[in-house]
Amino acid sequence: MSAPSSPVPPELPITPAGQITAPDGRVEPAPGAIAPHGRYVNADLRPVPLAERRWTTYNFAALWVGMAHNIPSWTLASGLVALGMDWKQAVLTIALANLVVLVPMLLTGHAGPKYGIPFPVLARASFGLRGANLPALVRAAVACCWFGIQTWIGGQGIYILLGKVFGGGWAGATEIAGYPWTLWLCFLVFWVVELAIIYRGMETLRRFENWAAPFVIVGALALLGWMAAKAGGFGPLLDQPSTLGWGEDFWPVFFPSLMGMIGFWATLSLNIPDFTRFGAGQRAQVWGQSLGLPTTMTAFALLSVLVTSGSQAVYGAPIWDPVALAGKADNVFGLLFALVTVLIATISVNIAANVVSPAYDLAHLAPKFINFRTGALITGVIGVIILPWKLTATPELYIFTWLGVVGGLLGTVAGILIADYWIIRRTVLDLADLYRPGGHYWYTAGWNWRAVLAFVIGGLLAVGGSYSHPGKGPFPTDGLLPFLKPLADYGWAVGLATALALYTVLMMPGMRSRKGPGRIDHERC
């Protein structure tokens, strides 16, 4: 995971700021411009040298295919159908959400190929060298929870499929804390395998995603073909009408569901620089993400609807859980193939989306003591102790409470980062000062109070009105703050727009050629 300094090509000049700029606009620090170690730097947080930024369009597209093809993505449509939508409304909601979230993905992802820096270092430009720990830890907490959720779901998948292979004794094992010990064993084994892969570093992850993506696609298509052959067509579920219609009953469900679907990838809209920092150029990350995210998620949602429709025709009831459906295979080969597909699909998304980002965030918290690998191990431990099985208990809790609240908070951080990088600084950063106390990004003792204020106000407006329907969640029926309840269904958009606008207004006075630590100097920053 280290990013050592590389020799300066003789044809690339060094600027007065100690930066080397390639003809395509990508930048790296000159040798010696950034100390190899210190309170705000370690090998994992340093910019990736230009020579090591090698990820292509295919690598980014494969990354998204691997991340999108997972069990929770498959069951997103089922959650929306359970809330009263028909399949067309569910697929449309998912497609629109992923087109929306792609925009901040591309905007925040731009800094990765250009400067080779991860998300926590990018956040220093707006929050300050110390203040960047605030958004980093918020994002790390979310990612740790997601890691636990995905690991639990993956362990369940292994448990169910092995139960079909080994028979009733497997499922009927002695219970511990309400679950068979065999389920806990599957959960533990899956957890160890995930951490073992990510411990090898980002290059191992890139190679894993390259072959995992096509394998998972083949597995999903095989499930579709198997179900089509047994069903003789896809009819019953596709003919089922919406209980909401397209009128006044639909929109109160649509908007919070849309925010929830955006919240599904809201974490990645922040930590995408953790991956794009390895990009060979802007074209690679833009095309790779554009081809990989919205198309894959929409196609996967449609695939899940078709397969579930076939299951209704064959078994008399829709089976949205792909693991439960695969468990109905009548031969050992089919079960083992399904088992391997579930393993690869879940590992693919979990280590990429939910281990890489908190590992960087935790390393950023204490660079001297925590490196990327240590951060990954800490993530794994936290992912277990948050009791992930509680977060996916009902569609209401999963979509409205968990995804909605998470989306609101992370949208607020995205708004600040986008405003700072694109509006205030026009994509120009001083790399050395991102690692240097007392530089442009030191602000007041390492904190930019403007970013903190924008985060607090944006977050309050985004999630302060969070509410639950009677008996459906942890929030009061009238909302935490009743006067903010009307905003709760639009949390991600409210948080992003509010924080972006407020941060821009607060930082505008600093753009009037004021120089010195914590000021915006157009000559350098």
Side-chain angles (χ1 to χ4, degrees):
M1 286 304 303
S2 61
S5 299
S6 59
V8 183
E11 68 275 10
L12 297 182
I14 300 176
T15 68
Q19 298 184 162
I20 304 165
T21 303
D24 61 1
R26 292 182 300 153
V27 178
E28 71 175 1
I34 299 176
H37 301 285
R39 187 171 182 180
Y40 300 100
V41 62
N42 65 18
D44 299 312
L45 297 177
R46 288 175 57 84
V48 175
L50 288 171
E52 296 181 20
R53 301 178 202 174
R54 295 191 292 262
W55 286 35
T56 64
T57 297
Y58 175 79
N59 293 139
F60 287 112
L63 177 75
W64 274 113
V65 171
M67 289 196 294
H69 288 173
N70 61 84
I71 298 172
S73 291
W74 182 282
T75 57
L76 282 179
S78 67
L80 296 178
V81 170
L83 294 172
M85 294 186 182
D86 63 18
W87 71 272
K88 296 184 293 293
Q89 292 171 330
V91 173
L92 174 64
T93 302
I94 293 170
L96 181 59
N98 284 278
L99 285 173
V100 171
V101 82
L102 177 65
V103 176
M105 289 270 189
L106 297 178
L107 292 177
T108 56
H110 183 277
K114 184 170 183 177
Y115 294 103
I117 54 177
F119 160 78
V121 176
L122 175 61
R124 292 175 178 179
S126 51
F127 283 85
L129 268 69
R130 290 174 173 168
N133 283 316
L134 174 61
L137 290 180
V138 169
R139 189 194 67 161
V142 172
C144 288
C145 290
W146 268 123
F147 174 79
I149 290 173
Q150 291 276 13
T151 303
W152 177 253
I153 291 174
Q156 281 183 313
I158 300 172
Y159 166 77
I160 291 173
L161 294 175
L162 287 180
K164 298 292 183 179
V165 175
F166 295 131
W170 179 264
T174 303
E175 290 190 356
I176 300 176
Y179 294 97
W181 69 264
T182 46
L183 174 56
W184 291 114
L185 176 63
C186 294
F187 177 60
L188 177 62
V189 169
F190 192 67
W191 179 83
V192 170
V193 170
E194 289 176 317
L195 292 185
I197 293 175
I198 197 61
Y199 194 79
R200 300 290 300 274
M202 289 293 289
E203 186 62 22
T204 299
L205 174 61
R206 183 181 71 87
R207 292 195 295 266
F208 178 81
E209 296 289 350
N210 282 348
W211 68 264
F215 184 91
V216 174
I217 292 175
V218 170
L221 292 176
L223 187 60
L224 176 65
W226 171 61
M227 189 49 56
K230 293 180 72 69
F234 302 102
L237 190 67
L238 300 182
D239 295 333
Q240 182 177 337
S242 168
T243 62
L244 303 173
W246 290 93
E248 60 182 13
D249 292 333
F250 173 72
W251 302 110
V253 175
F254 170 75
F255 284 110
S257 297
L258 181 68
M259 294 300 107
M261 296 304 102
I262 291 172
F264 190 79
W265 290 122
T267 305
L268 265 294
S269 70
L270 294 183
N271 68 265
I272 197 64
D274 294 343
F275 302 95
T276 61
R277 68 192 297 231
F278 297 96
Q282 295 297 341
R283 178 183 295 272
Q285 74 102 1
V286 170
W287 280 106
Q289 292 200 79
S290 300
L291 294 173
L293 172 58
T295 55
T296 299
M297 284 294 293
T298 303
F300 207 52
L302 181 60
L303 184 65
S304 73
V305 168
L306 291 173
V307 172
T308 304
S309 175
S311 72
Q312 186 176 30
V314 174
Y315 302 107
I319 303 175
W320 287 98
D321 185 348
V323 174
L325 185 61
K328 292 184 176 293
D330 50 10
N331 62 80
V332 174
F333 174 78
L335 287 170
L336 292 178
F337 180 76
L339 176 64
V340 174
T341 302
V342 167
L343 274 170
I344 293 175
T346 308
I347 290 175
S348 179
V349 63
N350 216 14
I351 60 178
N354 305 318
V355 179
V356 172
S357 57
Y360 279 126
D361 294 333
L362 293 168
H364 183 269
L365 183 64
K368 285 186 177 181
F369 306 103
I370 302 176
N371 59 20
F372 180 86
R373 291 177 172 84
T374 306
L377 295 177
I378 295 173
T379 299
V381 173
I382 295 175
V384 173
I385 64 177
I386 52 92
L387 308 180
W389 45 90
K390 300 289 186 181
L391 294 175
T392 55
T394 66
E396 291 83 6
L397 182 62
Y398 181 46
I399 293 177
F400 293 162
T401 302
W402 168 242
L403 292 181
V405 171
V406 162
L409 290 176
L410 297 182
T412 302
V413 177
I416 295 171
L417 262 62
I418 291 170
D420 184 82
Y421 183 71
W422 286 95
I423 300 175
I424 302 300
R425 307 189 188 279
R426 308 296 176 90
T427 76
V428 178
L429 299 175
D430 185 325
L431 268 179
D433 272 7
L434 286 171
Y435 300 86
R436 180 187 300 142
H440 284 97
Y441 313 111
W442 187 242
Y443 299 102
T444 303
W447 288 80
N448 182 5
W449 65 266
R450 300 167 184 84
V452 175
L453 182 61
F455 173 77
V456 171
I457 294 177
L460 180 64
L461 294 177
V463 305
S466 298
Y467 66 94
S468 299
H469 295 293
K472 298 293 185 179
F475 299 123
T477 303
D478 295 331
L480 291 172
L481 299 174
F483 72 96
L484 292 178
K485 183 179 178 180
L487 300 179
D489 291 345
Y490 315 95
W492 181 84
V494 168
L496 187 145
T498 302
L500 186 150
L502 181 57
Y503 181 82
T504 300
V505 170
L506 291 173
M507 290 294 289
M508 279 298 180
M511 297 180 68
R512 298 172 185 167
S513 299
R514 295 163 64 185
K515 300 181 181 181
R519 310 302 186 194
I520 298 176
D521 180 353
H522 285 300
E523 294 178 6
R524 295 184 61 198
C525 196

